[in-house]
mmCIF file of all heavy atoms in Angstrom:
data_model
loop_
_atom_site.group_PDB
_atom_site.id
_atom_site.type_symbol
_atom_site.label_atom_id
_atom_site.label_comp_id
_atom_site.label_asym_id
_atom_site.label_seq_id
_atom_site.Cartn_x
_atom_site.Cartn_y
_atom_site.Cartn_z
ATOM 1 N N GLU A 1 -4.097 77.290 -119.935
ATOM 2 C CA GLU A 1 -5.139 77.933 -119.185
ATOM 3 C C GLU A 1 -6.400 78.113 -120.112
ATOM 4 O O GLU A 1 -6.247 78.075 -121.295
ATOM 5 C CB GLU A 1 -4.807 79.274 -118.649
ATOM 6 C CG GLU A 1 -3.614 79.216 -117.623
ATOM 7 C CD GLU A 1 -3.338 80.657 -117.099
ATOM 8 O OE1 GLU A 1 -3.467 81.531 -117.851
ATOM 9 O OE2 GLU A 1 -3.033 80.808 -115.879
ATOM 10 N N ILE A 2 -7.531 78.259 -119.466
ATOM 11 C CA ILE A 2 -8.727 78.532 -120.253
ATOM 12 C C ILE A 2 -9.662 79.496 -119.470
ATOM 13 O O ILE A 2 -9.727 79.383 -118.244
ATOM 14 C CB ILE A 2 -9.549 77.161 -120.532
ATOM 15 C CG1 ILE A 2 -10.598 77.385 -121.526
ATOM 16 C CG2 ILE A 2 -10.061 76.572 -119.277
ATOM 17 C CD1 ILE A 2 -11.244 76.126 -122.152
ATOM 18 N N PRO A 3 -10.352 80.433 -120.051
ATOM 19 C CA PRO A 3 -11.210 81.321 -119.367
ATOM 20 C C PRO A 3 -12.442 80.559 -118.886
ATOM 21 O O PRO A 3 -12.980 79.713 -119.555
ATOM 22 C CB PRO A 3 -11.613 82.387 -120.385
ATOM 23 C CG PRO A 3 -11.373 81.685 -121.735
ATOM 24 C CD PRO A 3 -10.176 80.862 -121.490
ATOM 25 N N ALA A 4 -12.841 80.902 -117.668
ATOM 26 C CA ALA A 4 -13.975 80.130 -117.040
ATOM 27 C C ALA A 4 -14.823 81.054 -116.146
ATOM 28 O O ALA A 4 -14.343 82.006 -115.561
ATOM 29 C CB ALA A 4 -13.456 78.975 -116.290
ATOM 30 N N ILE A 5 -16.118 80.743 -116.034
ATOM 31 C CA ILE A 5 -17.058 81.297 -115.102
ATOM 32 C C ILE A 5 -17.307 80.294 -114.039
ATOM 33 O O ILE A 5 -17.600 79.093 -114.332
ATOM 34 C CB ILE A 5 -18.316 81.705 -115.785
ATOM 35 C CG1 ILE A 5 -18.107 82.829 -116.783
ATOM 36 C CG2 ILE A 5 -19.380 82.169 -114.793
ATOM 37 C CD1 ILE A 5 -19.348 83.096 -117.659
ATOM 38 N N ILE A 6 -17.126 80.576 -112.723
ATOM 39 C CA ILE A 6 -17.267 79.638 -111.674
ATOM 40 C C ILE A 6 -18.677 79.830 -111.072
ATOM 41 O O ILE A 6 -19.022 80.938 -110.590
ATOM 42 C CB ILE A 6 -16.192 79.879 -110.546
ATOM 43 C CG1 ILE A 6 -14.727 79.920 -111.150
ATOM 44 C CG2 ILE A 6 -16.321 78.738 -109.526
ATOM 45 C CD1 ILE A 6 -14.480 78.677 -111.985
ATOM 46 N N LYS A 7 -19.428 78.762 -111.051
ATOM 47 C CA LYS A 7 -20.779 78.821 -110.474
ATOM 48 C C LYS A 7 -20.940 77.672 -109.411
ATOM 49 O O LYS A 7 -20.347 76.617 -109.619
ATOM 50 C CB LYS A 7 -21.802 78.702 -111.492
ATOM 51 C CG LYS A 7 -21.955 79.911 -112.404
ATOM 52 C CD LYS A 7 -22.621 81.006 -111.736
ATOM 53 C CE LYS A 7 -22.917 82.199 -112.562
ATOM 54 N NZ LYS A 7 -23.540 83.359 -111.851
ATOM 55 N N ASP A 8 -21.675 77.867 -108.361
ATOM 56 C CA ASP A 8 -21.942 76.908 -107.322
ATOM 57 C C ASP A 8 -23.231 76.119 -107.533
ATOM 58 O O ASP A 8 -24.218 76.381 -106.984
ATOM 59 C CB ASP A 8 -21.919 77.572 -105.964
ATOM 60 C CG ASP A 8 -22.086 76.484 -104.813
ATOM 61 O OD1 ASP A 8 -21.693 75.401 -105.074
ATOM 62 O OD2 ASP A 8 -22.574 76.912 -103.798
ATOM 63 N N PHE A 9 -23.158 75.147 -108.574
ATOM 64 C CA PHE A 9 -24.281 74.352 -108.940
ATOM 65 C C PHE A 9 -24.445 73.168 -108.001
ATOM 66 O O PHE A 9 -23.393 72.518 -107.488
ATOM 67 C CB PHE A 9 -24.230 73.872 -110.350
ATOM 68 C CG PHE A 9 -24.216 74.974 -111.355
ATOM 69 C CD1 PHE A 9 -23.012 75.321 -112.031
ATOM 70 C CD2 PHE A 9 -25.380 75.628 -111.698
ATOM 71 C CE1 PHE A 9 -23.053 76.329 -112.949
ATOM 72 C CE2 PHE A 9 -25.376 76.629 -112.626
ATOM 73 C CZ PHE A 9 -24.207 76.968 -113.267
ATOM 74 N N THR A 10 -25.750 72.731 -107.840
ATOM 75 C CA THR A 10 -25.965 71.343 -107.118
ATOM 76 C C THR A 10 -25.660 70.300 -108.128
ATOM 77 O O THR A 10 -25.545 70.488 -109.352
ATOM 78 C CB THR A 10 -27.427 71.383 -106.659
ATOM 79 O OG1 THR A 10 -28.265 71.242 -107.875
ATOM 80 C CG2 THR A 10 -27.872 72.480 -105.872
ATOM 81 N N ASP A 11 -25.568 69.035 -107.621
ATOM 82 C CA ASP A 11 -25.334 67.891 -108.514
ATOM 83 C C ASP A 11 -26.433 67.798 -109.440
ATOM 84 O O ASP A 11 -26.152 67.516 -110.622
ATOM 85 C CB ASP A 11 -25.222 66.644 -107.683
ATOM 86 C CG ASP A 11 -23.928 66.536 -106.840
ATOM 87 O OD1 ASP A 11 -23.078 67.345 -107.131
ATOM 88 O OD2 ASP A 11 -23.853 65.713 -105.911
ATOM 89 N N THR A 12 -27.689 67.995 -109.061
ATOM 90 C CA THR A 12 -28.854 67.915 -110.082
ATOM 91 C C THR A 12 -28.710 68.904 -111.177
ATOM 92 O O THR A 12 -28.980 68.651 -112.366
ATOM 93 C CB THR A 12 -30.137 68.063 -109.268
ATOM 94 O OG1 THR A 12 -30.290 67.023 -108.352
ATOM 95 C CG2 THR A 12 -31.295 67.993 -110.311
ATOM 96 N N GLU A 13 -28.295 70.161 -110.805
ATOM 97 C CA GLU A 13 -28.199 71.188 -111.826
ATOM 98 C C GLU A 13 -27.064 70.899 -112.728
ATOM 99 O O GLU A 13 -27.097 71.070 -113.968
ATOM 100 C CB GLU A 13 -27.992 72.513 -111.129
ATOM 101 C CG GLU A 13 -29.264 73.017 -110.372
ATOM 102 C CD GLU A 13 -28.868 74.101 -109.428
ATOM 103 O OE1 GLU A 13 -27.790 74.382 -109.022
ATOM 104 O OE2 GLU A 13 -29.874 74.766 -108.989
ATOM 105 N N MET A 14 -25.907 70.353 -112.203
ATOM 106 C CA MET A 14 -24.746 70.005 -113.026
ATOM 107 C C MET A 14 -25.158 68.901 -113.958
ATOM 108 O O MET A 14 -24.757 69.021 -115.151
ATOM 109 C CB MET A 14 -23.592 69.443 -112.128
ATOM 110 C CG MET A 14 -22.843 70.452 -111.362
ATOM 111 S SD MET A 14 -21.566 69.756 -110.389
ATOM 112 C CE MET A 14 -20.411 69.128 -111.647
ATOM 113 N N MET A 15 -25.923 67.942 -113.637
ATOM 114 C CA MET A 15 -26.363 66.873 -114.581
ATOM 115 C C MET A 15 -27.209 67.435 -115.641
ATOM 116 O O MET A 15 -27.003 67.150 -116.832
ATOM 117 C CB MET A 15 -27.161 65.793 -113.698
ATOM 118 C CG MET A 15 -27.633 64.681 -114.577
ATOM 119 S SD MET A 15 -28.847 63.706 -113.820
ATOM 120 C CE MET A 15 -30.224 64.947 -113.642
ATOM 121 N N GLU A 16 -28.226 68.257 -115.255
ATOM 122 C CA GLU A 16 -29.130 68.762 -116.279
ATOM 123 C C GLU A 16 -28.452 69.617 -117.305
ATOM 124 O O GLU A 16 -28.694 69.596 -118.510
ATOM 125 C CB GLU A 16 -30.330 69.575 -115.656
ATOM 126 C CG GLU A 16 -31.402 69.876 -116.626
ATOM 127 C CD GLU A 16 -32.750 70.207 -116.046
ATOM 128 O OE1 GLU A 16 -32.760 70.320 -114.768
ATOM 129 O OE2 GLU A 16 -33.663 70.441 -116.765
ATOM 130 N N ILE A 17 -27.486 70.563 -116.825
ATOM 131 C CA ILE A 17 -26.777 71.420 -117.767
ATOM 132 C C ILE A 17 -25.958 70.574 -118.712
ATOM 133 O O ILE A 17 -25.916 70.825 -119.876
ATOM 134 C CB ILE A 17 -25.968 72.385 -116.894
ATOM 135 C CG1 ILE A 17 -26.845 73.473 -116.195
ATOM 136 C CG2 ILE A 17 -24.998 73.154 -117.853
ATOM 137 C CD1 ILE A 17 -26.127 74.359 -115.363
ATOM 138 N N ALA A 18 -25.178 69.627 -118.152
ATOM 139 C CA ALA A 18 -24.308 68.795 -119.008
ATOM 140 C C ALA A 18 -25.125 68.049 -120.070
ATOM 141 O O ALA A 18 -24.759 67.952 -121.254
ATOM 142 C CB ALA A 18 -23.525 67.713 -118.153
ATOM 143 N N LEU A 19 -26.253 67.487 -119.695
ATOM 144 C CA LEU A 19 -27.103 66.721 -120.538
ATOM 145 C C LEU A 19 -27.678 67.633 -121.707
ATOM 146 O O LEU A 19 -27.710 67.344 -122.755
ATOM 147 C CB LEU A 19 -28.228 65.945 -119.853
ATOM 148 C CG LEU A 19 -27.731 64.913 -118.887
ATOM 149 C CD1 LEU A 19 -28.912 64.224 -118.165
ATOM 150 C CD2 LEU A 19 -26.968 63.841 -119.560
ATOM 151 N N LEU A 20 -28.120 68.802 -121.268
ATOM 152 C CA LEU A 20 -28.747 69.692 -122.115
ATOM 153 C C LEU A 20 -27.780 70.243 -123.154
ATOM 154 O O LEU A 20 -28.060 70.439 -124.283
ATOM 155 C CB LEU A 20 -29.409 70.966 -121.359
ATOM 156 C CG LEU A 20 -30.781 70.612 -120.763
ATOM 157 C CD1 LEU A 20 -31.208 71.872 -119.896
ATOM 158 C CD2 LEU A 20 -31.783 70.368 -121.815
ATOM 159 N N GLU A 21 -26.573 70.581 -122.726
ATOM 160 C CA GLU A 21 -25.514 71.037 -123.576
ATOM 161 C C GLU A 21 -25.329 70.056 -124.740
ATOM 162 O O GLU A 21 -25.282 70.471 -125.943
ATOM 163 C CB GLU A 21 -24.243 71.338 -122.784
ATOM 164 C CG GLU A 21 -23.144 71.834 -123.846
ATOM 165 C CD GLU A 21 -21.784 71.951 -123.191
ATOM 166 O OE1 GLU A 21 -21.484 71.286 -122.265
ATOM 167 O OE2 GLU A 21 -20.957 72.769 -123.691
ATOM 168 N N ASN A 22 -25.230 68.797 -124.266
ATOM 169 C CA ASN A 22 -24.941 67.780 -125.376
ATOM 170 C C ASN A 22 -26.193 67.500 -126.277
ATOM 171 O O ASN A 22 -26.063 67.325 -127.484
ATOM 172 C CB ASN A 22 -24.486 66.466 -124.697
ATOM 173 C CG ASN A 22 -23.100 66.613 -124.228
ATOM 174 O OD1 ASN A 22 -22.150 66.408 -125.143
ATOM 175 N ND2 ASN A 22 -22.824 66.973 -123.108
ATOM 176 N N LEU A 23 -27.377 67.468 -125.649
ATOM 177 C CA LEU A 23 -28.614 67.183 -126.376
ATOM 178 C C LEU A 23 -28.980 68.284 -127.333
ATOM 179 O O LEU A 23 -29.395 68.071 -128.476
ATOM 180 C CB LEU A 23 -29.755 66.945 -125.472
ATOM 181 C CG LEU A 23 -29.808 65.633 -124.560
ATOM 182 C CD1 LEU A 23 -30.860 65.670 -123.485
ATOM 183 C CD2 LEU A 23 -29.951 64.492 -125.533
ATOM 184 N N GLN A 24 -28.750 69.520 -127.039
ATOM 185 C CA GLN A 24 -29.134 70.653 -127.875
ATOM 186 C C GLN A 24 -28.059 71.228 -128.640
ATOM 187 O O GLN A 24 -28.237 71.965 -129.685
ATOM 188 C CB GLN A 24 -29.791 71.717 -126.984
ATOM 189 C CG GLN A 24 -31.057 71.280 -126.300
ATOM 190 C CD GLN A 24 -31.732 72.363 -125.493
ATOM 191 O OE1 GLN A 24 -31.273 73.478 -125.358
ATOM 192 N NE2 GLN A 24 -32.892 72.018 -124.919
ATOM 193 N N ARG A 25 -26.779 71.020 -128.323
ATOM 194 C CA ARG A 25 -25.673 71.596 -129.037
ATOM 195 C C ARG A 25 -24.841 70.645 -129.729
ATOM 196 O O ARG A 25 -24.356 70.975 -130.832
ATOM 197 C CB ARG A 25 -24.825 72.424 -128.071
ATOM 198 C CG ARG A 25 -23.595 73.092 -128.684
ATOM 199 C CD ARG A 25 -22.854 74.096 -127.730
ATOM 200 N NE ARG A 25 -23.639 75.219 -127.481
ATOM 201 C CZ ARG A 25 -23.268 76.217 -126.687
ATOM 202 N NH1 ARG A 25 -22.154 76.087 -125.963
ATOM 203 N NH2 ARG A 25 -24.064 77.249 -126.473
ATOM 204 N N GLU A 26 -24.510 69.482 -129.212
ATOM 205 C CA GLU A 26 -23.680 68.519 -129.798
ATOM 206 C C GLU A 26 -24.457 67.329 -130.394
ATOM 207 O O GLU A 26 -25.491 67.087 -129.988
ATOM 208 C CB GLU A 26 -22.642 68.025 -128.767
ATOM 209 C CG GLU A 26 -21.850 69.131 -128.078
ATOM 210 C CD GLU A 26 -21.033 69.968 -128.863
ATOM 211 O OE1 GLU A 26 -20.669 69.532 -130.040
ATOM 212 O OE2 GLU A 26 -20.690 71.062 -128.544
ATOM 213 N N ASN A 27 -23.827 66.677 -131.253
ATOM 214 C CA ASN A 27 -24.514 65.493 -131.866
ATOM 215 C C ASN A 27 -24.068 64.179 -131.083
ATOM 216 O O ASN A 27 -23.039 63.686 -131.298
ATOM 217 C CB ASN A 27 -24.126 65.264 -133.342
ATOM 218 C CG ASN A 27 -24.654 66.332 -134.254
ATOM 219 O OD1 ASN A 27 -25.846 66.804 -133.996
ATOM 220 N ND2 ASN A 27 -23.960 66.855 -135.170
ATOM 221 N N LEU A 28 -24.852 63.866 -130.093
ATOM 222 C CA LEU A 28 -24.676 62.601 -129.375
ATOM 223 C C LEU A 28 -24.926 61.404 -130.237
ATOM 224 O O LEU A 28 -25.698 61.471 -131.115
ATOM 225 C CB LEU A 28 -25.542 62.588 -128.062
ATOM 226 C CG LEU A 28 -25.283 63.630 -126.996
ATOM 227 C CD1 LEU A 28 -26.367 63.401 -125.917
ATOM 228 C CD2 LEU A 28 -23.946 63.439 -126.390
ATOM 229 N N THR A 29 -24.355 60.307 -129.984
ATOM 230 C CA THR A 29 -24.757 59.133 -130.621
ATOM 231 C C THR A 29 -26.160 58.711 -130.031
ATOM 232 O O THR A 29 -26.533 59.304 -128.978
ATOM 233 C CB THR A 29 -23.812 57.958 -130.304
ATOM 234 O OG1 THR A 29 -23.873 57.537 -129.017
ATOM 235 C CG2 THR A 29 -22.382 58.271 -130.691
ATOM 236 N N ALA A 30 -26.886 57.869 -130.780
ATOM 237 C CA ALA A 30 -28.180 57.544 -130.389
ATOM 238 C C ALA A 30 -28.242 56.911 -128.980
ATOM 239 O O ALA A 30 -29.079 57.189 -128.145
ATOM 240 C CB ALA A 30 -28.911 56.636 -131.311
ATOM 241 N N ILE A 31 -27.177 56.109 -128.628
ATOM 242 C CA ILE A 31 -27.140 55.524 -127.385
ATOM 243 C C ILE A 31 -26.834 56.473 -126.193
ATOM 244 O O ILE A 31 -27.416 56.429 -125.217
ATOM 245 C CB ILE A 31 -26.025 54.311 -127.339
ATOM 246 C CG1 ILE A 31 -26.473 53.266 -128.332
ATOM 247 C CG2 ILE A 31 -25.879 53.743 -125.939
ATOM 248 C CD1 ILE A 31 -27.763 52.555 -128.076
#
């Protein structure tokens, strides 16, 4: 199991959050 917060995001919001998390927090490859 893992602790989680459940939110009702739209598809657009899901996309932006996922992209932002990786762009600002993780080291993505250049591609």
Side-chain angles (χ1 to χ4, degrees):
E1 296 182 327
I2 191 169
I5 294 173
I6 309 303
K7 289 288 185 180
D8 183 23
F9 295 107
T10 66
D11 287 347
T12 299
E13 291 165 344
M14 285 180 67
M15 178 194 67
E16 188 164 5
I17 290 174
L19 295 178
L20 281 173
E21 179 188 26
N22 282 278
L23 287 170
Q24 297 184 354
R25 177 173 288 177
E26 309 295 343
N27 292 321
L28 292 176
T29 68
I31 297 300

